[in-house]
Coordinates of all heavy atoms in Angstrom, one line a residue:
Q158 N 22.4 -4.7 -24.7 CA 21.5 -3.7 -25.3 C 21.9 -2.3 -24.9 O 21.1 -1.5 -24.4 CB 20.0 -4.0 -24.8 CG 19.6 -5.3 -25.2 CD 18.1 -5.5 -25.2 OE1 17.3 -4.5 -25.1 NE2 17.6 -6.7 -25.4
H172 N 14.5 -2.4 -28.0 CA 13.7 -3.4 -28.5 C 12.2 -3.0 -28.4 O 11.9 -2.1 -27.6 CB 13.9 -4.8 -27.8 CG 13.8 -4.7 -26.3 ND1 14.0 -5.8 -25.5 CD2 13.6 -3.7 -25.5 CE1 13.8 -5.4 -24.2 NE2 13.6 -4.1 -24.2
S174 N 10.0 -4.6 -27.2 CA 9.4 -5.0 -25.8 C 9.2 -3.8 -24.9 O 8.4 -3.8 -24.0 CB 10.3 -6.0 -25.1 OG 10.6 -7.1 -26.0
R203 N 20.6 0.3 -31.2 CA 21.6 -0.2 -30.3 C 23.0 0.3 -30.6 O 23.2 0.6 -31.8 CB 21.6 -1.8 -30.3 CG 20.4 -2.4 -29.6 CD 20.5 -3.9 -29.4 NE 19.1 -4.4 -29.2 CZ 18.8 -5.6 -29.0 NH1 19.7 -6.5 -29.1 NH2 17.5 -6.0 -28.8
Q217 N 12.2 -4.2 -35.5 CA 11.7 -5.5 -34.9 C 10.1 -5.4 -35.0 O 9.5 -4.4 -35.3 CB 12.0 -5.6 -33.4 CG 13.4 -5.8 -33.1 CD 13.7 -6.1 -31.6 OE1 12.8 -5.8 -30.8 NE2 14.8 -6.7 -31.3
E219 N 7.0 -7.1 -32.8 CA 6.7 -7.9 -31.6 C 5.2 -8.2 -31.5 O 4.4 -7.4 -32.0 CB 7.1 -7.1 -30.4 CG 7.0 -7.9 -29.1 CD 8.1 -7.5 -28.1 OE1 9.2 -7.0 -28.5 OE2 7.9 -7.8 -26.9
F257 N 15.6 -14.9 -21.9 CA 15.2 -13.5 -21.9 C 14.6 -13.2 -20.6 O 13.6 -13.9 -20.2 CB 14.3 -13.1 -23.1 CG 14.9 -13.5 -24.4 CD1 14.7 -14.8 -25.0 CD2 15.7 -12.6 -25.1 CE1 15.2 -15.1 -26.2 CE2 16.3 -12.9 -26.3 CZ 16.0 -14.2 -26.9
F259 N 12.3 -11.4 -19.7 CA 10.9 -11.0 -19.6 C 10.0 -12.2 -20.1 O 8.8 -12.0 -20.2 CB 10.6 -9.8 -20.5 CG 11.5 -9.7 -21.7 CD1 11.1 -10.2 -22.9 CD2 12.7 -9.1 -21.6 CE1 11.9 -10.1 -24.0 CE2 13.6 -9.0 -22.7 CZ 13.2 -9.5 -23.9
V260 N 10.6 -13.4 -20.3 CA 9.8 -14.5 -20.6 C 10.2 -15.7 -19.8 O 11.4 -15.9 -19.4 CB 9.8 -14.9 -22.1 CG1 9.0 -14.0 -23.0 CG2 11.2 -15.0 -22.6
P291 N 13.1 -15.1 -31.2 CA 12.9 -15.4 -29.8 C 11.5 -15.2 -29.3 O 10.8 -14.3 -29.8 CB 13.9 -14.4 -29.1 CG 14.0 -13.3 -30.0 CD 13.7 -13.8 -31.4
C292 N 11.1 -16.0 -28.4 CA 9.7 -15.9 -27.9 C 9.6 -16.6 -26.5 O 10.6 -17.1 -26.0 CB 8.8 -16.6 -28.9 SG 9.2 -18.2 -29.3
A314 N 4.8 -13.9 -25.8 CA 5.3 -12.8 -26.6 C 6.4 -13.3 -27.5 O 7.0 -14.3 -27.3 CB 5.9 -11.7 -25.6
F315 N 6.5 -12.7 -28.7 CA 7.6 -13.0 -29.6 C 8.1 -11.7 -30.2 O 7.5 -10.7 -30.3 CB 7.1 -13.9 -30.7 CG 6.1 -13.3 -31.6 CD1 6.5 -12.6 -32.8 CD2 4.7 -13.3 -31.4 CE1 5.6 -12.0 -33.6 CE2 3.8 -12.7 -32.2 CZ 4.2 -12.0 -33.3
G316 N 9.4 -11.8 -30.4 CA 10.1 -10.6 -31.0 C 10.8 -10.9 -32.2 O 11.9 -11.6 -32.2
Ligands
LIG429 N1 13.0 -8.1 -27.0 C1 13.9 -9.2 -27.3 C2 15.1 -8.7 -28.0 O1 15.2 -7.7 -28.6 C3 13.1 -10.2 -28.2 C4 12.0 -10.9 -27.5 C5 10.7 -10.4 -27.6 C6 12.2 -12.1 -26.9 C7 9.7 -11.1 -27.0 C8 11.2 -12.8 -26.3 C9 9.9 -12.3 -26.3 O2 16.1 -9.3 -28.1

Side-chain angles (χ1 to χ4, degrees):
Q158 301 198 10
H172 53 177
S174 308
R203 287 188 198 179
Q217 288 189 342
E219 185 145 338
F257 300 92
F259 33 93
V260 283
C292 52
F315 64 90

